[in-house]
Amino acid sequence: VRVANPIGPGWGNPQDGKFDDVRLLGTDGKRYGPLPREWAHYRGLYRNGHRAVISYSVGTTNLLEEPGVVEAPAGMLFTRTFNIGPRDRVLVAQVAHHADAAAQIRDAAHLSEPAADQSPAACVIVGPAKNQPSGSKLTVANRYLVAGIEPPMAGAKWLSDGHGNLRMRIPKGSAPLRFTLWTAEVDRPEQAAGVAAVKLAEPNRDLSMLTHGGPPQWAKKISTRPVIGKSPGPFAVDVLTLPADNPWQARVRFTGLDFLSGGHEAALCTWDGDVWIVGDLLDAAKGLTWQRIASGLFQPLGLKIVEGRIYVTCRDQIVLLRDLNGDRETDYYENFNNDHQVTDHFHEFAMGLQTDEKGNFYYAKAARHALPAVVPQHGTLLRVSPDGLKTEIVATGFRAANGVCLNSDGTFFLTDQEGFWTPKNRINWVQPGKFYGNMMGFHSIKDPSDAAMEQPVCWITNSFDRSPSEPLWVTGDGWKPLSGALLNLSYGYGRIHVILHEKVGDKMQGGMCALNLPDFPTGIIRGRFNPADGQLYTCGMYAWAGNATEPGGFYRVRYTGGPVNLPIGLSARREGMKISFTDPLEKQAACDAKNYAVKVWSLKRTAKYGSNHIDEHPLEVKAATLSDDGKTVTLAIPKIAPTWCMEIRYTLRAPGTDGKAINGVIHNTIHQLQD
């Protein structure tokens, strides 16, 4: 690093010019999150060809800033070109930091004497307080830091805080300012004059010319041929082939999707920071067309389209993509909300993006891995107001909730991953204000016992799903046999499950059963039903531990007709288990108790990673009966009791002499038995 600033405010507080960092203080003693909006606010980033312009405010003053580099024989200059609006008070900018706290400001033209008023017009140098012995090895602390401003600004003044920080005082005034601030580093003081003599080509350029959209960066559209699936069963999977072979060598590991108006097109974000638009989905057999519209985002893991506008959940912000000139490419990456409290820990992903009827946005923030929380957002479900101005913590105690599912009653379904204080994967029914078990998340819970946390709908063991992702409701009529059902997607194995759930008292309990589909080749993490064709579109990727290791995937799962033969309801009774199916069963097989196998086990929740199965043992199925409509089986299980984990295996048949076999596995949890 040649020139750098310390972590902290880049501008002094507009109220008093001080740089005291008032951001959130983490438990590690470091500061996190953005500055207060009344101090400074990052608005967004304009892209115009190879140029980038940052838009922000300091107090009531609006600024545009373009970073740059100038290579000159005398050295490399790092530039910051500013367009600054009217200022109702003096502003102070942090320019650079010197490792020697005793460094002094000197006029580059007269190095032997300090600058009397600390405002030489062209250049200053901040260097070591004492000359180094001839032939001594230069270190960071005794190199020379050169800075300058072009063109000269009346009333500007260089400042030093006595701790190695070089700053610039910018006078108040109603007239806009345009200038370039530059910095460089040299080994010897005599090099400073050579650096200062470099003339910039356009130091006072008008940056607003770059804020209306520029030429396309990714003009080439990619055509792919989908693989239309065929299946003898009720579901077929179409592989919507990715634009993996593209001129930019961009990886396409998809992590979020939503549909544009009409359902013909979808927008998808990638783990590597891109956003693509693909069409025509409703005529996919003829081929797909992909257009890259955005890049450079920070690990996006959720995407939502609201009134035609594309919002993306990134690790550092929710960004709103704006096309300013009609070519569909993003010209302005607007900061919709950057209340994110981002530390440098790898595990704190920001996952999913959904909106409620009031326009609030929701996403989940993971906790740190094997380490206690540092900031209040670690291990939480978060709500962002419709205007993006406010972020609230809805619930706590999560480890890595991979996405969010909203319910009509104001509750949520979130999954969570096995780990420390999380003995196995969880499917959670989330109520505002509740705690969901991860003691390493940020919360106020002091009691580590199981009684202090909300129990999940079900605990899911590794062999069933090693990493559940985002639940979603079946909407529309495209999947009519499962209309209104709750699904869950599997990153770990690339599967789709039906979540069977019932509310007993104030708790939710139930289990999951997989759709009869081959495993997807990539982990599935996001899905949405297309309102146009009623089918499920899913996307996923491989980036961390999982069995489905294809780098990325985009799929359509079509209901083709016929019986689905899936469990759709599960109820734990004092006499046994009641299982409802989508379609009628053959009576003889359904009423044969030997066609069912049930076992149970417990888990132990501790500060250690995961849990073994404790006291795993079978339960006798004494009898099985079938309802008059042939869709509900009741299993008589004399020793049934509340249990952390239960597995129900069944081998049944569809009606008719040639009825096909119906094999399935349900994993579930029982908190309370109903009468």
Side-chain angles (χ1 to χ4, degrees):
V1 177
R2 289 175 175 264
V3 178
N5 277 317
I7 295 174
W11 290 82
N13 191 324
Q15 299 298 322
D16 54 19
K18 295 182 179 179
F19 283 76
D20 299 334
D21 197 342
V22 299
R23 295 177 301 145
L24 173 77
L25 183 65
T27 59
D28 59 355
K30 298 178 181 179
R31 299 283 179 174
Y32 297 101
L35 288 167
R37 286 174 182 262
E38 61 271 16
W39 179 332
H41 178 60
Y42 168 67
R43 290 179 170 172
L45 177 73
Y46 291 95
R47 289 295 305 271
N48 192 308
H50 66 280
R51 299 171 70 176
V53 175
I54 305 165
S55 173
Y56 59 98
S57 60
V58 178
T60 60
T61 300
N62 297 324
L63 296 91
L64 295 176
E65 176 181 341
E66 182 184 17
V69 175
V70 174
E71 294 190 33
M76 183 177 292
L77 279 67
F78 299 91
T79 64
R80 299 170 65 187
T81 299
F82 291 97
N83 286 187
I84 303 180
R87 302 154 311 285
D88 60 0
R89 62 195 64 205
V90 168
L91 301 180
V92 181
Q94 171 75 20
V95 176
H97 177 78
H98 195 284
D100 184 355
Q104 299 175 0
I105 298 176
R106 297 175 182 268
D107 188 333
H110 306 89
L111 294 179
S112 61
E113 298 293 335
D117 63 354
Q118 295 188 331
S119 57
C123 175
V124 298
I125 178 169
V126 179
K130 299 178 181 179
N131 293 327
Q132 301 299 313
S134 177
S136 66
K137 184 177 180 181
L138 291 171
T139 66
V140 173
N142 57 36
R143 289 175 181 153
Y144 292 80
L145 183 64
V146 191
I149 182 173
E150 190 179 340
M153 183 198 310
K157 185 176 183 180
W158 300 101
L159 304 174
S160 174
D161 69 344
H163 300 285
N165 289 308
L166 173 65
R167 293 167 179 161
M168 170 165 279
R169 176 187 180 275
I170 298 172
K172 68 178 181 179
S174 58
L177 300 173
R178 299 207 304 249
F179 63 91
T180 295
L181 182 66
W182 58 264
T183 51
E185 186 188 62
V186 297
D187 295 335
R188 298 183 303 277
E190 59 268 22
Q191 294 173 314
V195 172
V198 174
K199 294 299 181 182
L200 303 179
E202 193 182 359
N204 60 345
R205 57 184 173 270
D206 182 3
L207 299 181
S208 67
M209 301 298 292
L210 303 175
T211 64
H212 306 291
Q217 300 181 72
W218 313 287
K220 182 177 176 58
K221 296 182 181 180
I222 312 297
S223 297
T224 63
R225 180 66 59 182
V227 179
I228 304 301
K230 297 180 180 179
S231 172
F235 295 104
V237 177
D238 303 329
V239 179
L240 305 176
T241 312
L242 310 185
D245 184 12
N246 61 75
W248 315 287
Q249 299 183 351
R251 293 194 290 184
V252 281
R253 301 185 290 176
F254 287 128
T255 54
L257 83 154
D258 203 357
F259 300 100
L260 293 160
S261 179
H264 289 263
E265 295 180 308
L268 297 95
C269 59
T270 76
W271 175 244
D272 301 281
D274 295 336
V275 178
W276 295 75
I277 288 179
V278 57
D280 179 354
L281 299 174
L282 301 184
D283 199 9
K286 293 183 178 180
L288 300 169
T289 301
W290 296 84
Q291 181 180 2
R292 191 186 192 195
I293 67 163
S295 188
L297 303 178
F298 187 8
Q299 294 183 352
L301 279 165
L303 184 149
K304 179 68 176 175
I305 297 177
V306 181
E307 297 180 350
R309 296 189 294 268
I310 301 173
Y311 297 80
V312 185
T313 306
C314 303
R315 192 162 172 144
D316 58 339
Q317 64 178 313
I318 297 176
V319 62
L320 171 56
L321 307 182
R322 292 199 179 272
D323 168 27
L324 303 178
N325 59 8
D327 62 3
R328 307 198 81 176
E329 288 194 11
T330 301
D331 302 299
Y332 183 43
Y333 296 78
E334 180 181 331
N335 167 30
F336 176 71
N337 177 276
N338 68 335
D339 292 340
H340 299 45
Q341 298 159 359
V342 185
T343 79
D344 58 4
H345 190 74
F346 80 97
H347 194 260
E348 56 174 67
F349 314 109
M351 295 188 277
L353 190 61
Q354 307 292 351
T355 54
D356 62 18
E357 293 181 350
K358 296 179 180 179
N360 295 298
F361 292 77
Y362 296 85
Y363 69 97
K365 175 81 165 178
R368 300 204 299 170
H369 175 76
L371 294 169
V374 167
V375 295
Q377 289 181 358
H378 277 155
T380 58
L381 171 62
L382 297 168
R383 174 171 53 231
V384 177
S385 60
D387 57 9
L389 297 178
K390 184 179 181 182
T391 299
E392 299 174 285
I393 294 174
V394 178
T396 62
F398 305 105
R399 183 174 177 270
N402 192 352
V404 185
C405 176
L406 275 62
N407 306 325
S408 59
D409 63 354
T411 63
F412 310 84
F413 283 105
L414 276 72
T415 65
D416 211 348
Q417 317 298 315
E418 175 187 11
F420 305 93
W421 291 107
T422 312
K424 291 296 173 190
N425 302 305
R426 303 172 52 128
I427 307 295
N428 294 304
W429 178 53
V430 176
Q431 302 174 77
K434 301 290 187 177
F435 169 71
Y436 290 85
N438 179 22
M439 297 301 293
M440 288 185 174
F442 200 99
H443 51 78
S444 59
I445 304 300
K446 304 299 183 184
D447 180 5
S449 71
D450 299 339
M453 73 168 181
E454 296 298 311
Q455 290 286 346
V457 177
C458 59
W459 296 98
I460 301 299
T461 197
N462 307 62
S463 61
F464 190 84
D465 186 4
R466 64 176 292 185
S467 184
S469 47
E470 187 168 69
L472 73 157
W473 293 99
V474 178
T475 57
D477 296 326
W479 280 31
K480 197 166 186 178
L482 291 172
S483 181
L486 181 63
L487 304 180
N488 192 65
L489 307 175
S490 166
Y491 169 82
Y493 292 135
R495 296 171 185 166
I496 302 174
H497 298 95
V498 177
I499 299 178
L500 315 169
H501 54 97
E502 63 168 347
K503 188 176 181 183
V504 183
D506 61 350
K507 297 187 182 301
M508 194 78 76
Q509 63 188 23
M512 296 205 301
C513 182
L515 272 65
N516 187 19
L517 290 170
D519 288 354
F520 292 87
T522 190
I524 301 299
I525 64 171
R526 302 287 177 262
R528 294 191 190 275
F529 280 87
N530 190 330
D533 64 10
Q535 304 304 325
L536 174 63
Y537 290 70
T538 67
C539 70
M541 54 97 187
Y542 176 74
W544 53 81
N547 285 41
T549 57
E550 187 74 22
F554 182 36
Y555 311 95
R556 175 173 55 201
V557 185
R558 289 181 287 112
Y559 172 62
T560 60
V564 173
N565 295 316
L566 280 170
I568 199 67
L570 186 69
S571 183
R573 307 300 179 98
R574 295 191 184 279
E575 69 276 9
M577 295 299 299
K578 189 175 183 178
I579 311 170
S580 297
F581 287 78
T582 54
D583 304 280
L585 302 169
E586 194 272 323
K587 186 172 183 179
Q588 183 177 352
C591 293
D592 187 346
K594 296 192 295 294
N595 288 335
Y596 306 89
V598 178
K599 64 179 180 179
V600 295
W601 63 93
S602 295
L603 303 170
K604 187 170 180 60
R605 175 174 163 269
T606 69
K608 296 181 179 179
Y609 194 104
S611 170
N612 295 325
H613 291 195
I614 299 171
D615 188 27
E616 182 175 321
H617 62 276
L619 293 182
E620 178 192 9
V621 179
K622 190 172 183 179
T625 57
L626 186 65
S627 63
D628 291 342
D629 64 1
K631 294 184 178 182
T632 300
V633 172
T634 300
L635 304 181
I637 305 174
K639 293 187 178 181
I640 192 171
T643 181
W644 284 58
C645 302
M646 173 180 281
E647 177 187 274
I648 305 170
R649 291 184 175 269
Y650 56 84
T651 301
L652 306 172
R653 289 195 302 271
T657 55
D658 297 325
K660 67 175 182 179
I662 302 171
N663 300 314
V665 182
I666 300 171
H667 270 232
N668 65 293
T669 293
I670 302 174
H671 300 306
Q672 184 176 334
L673 299 173
Q674 296 196 69
D675 292 330

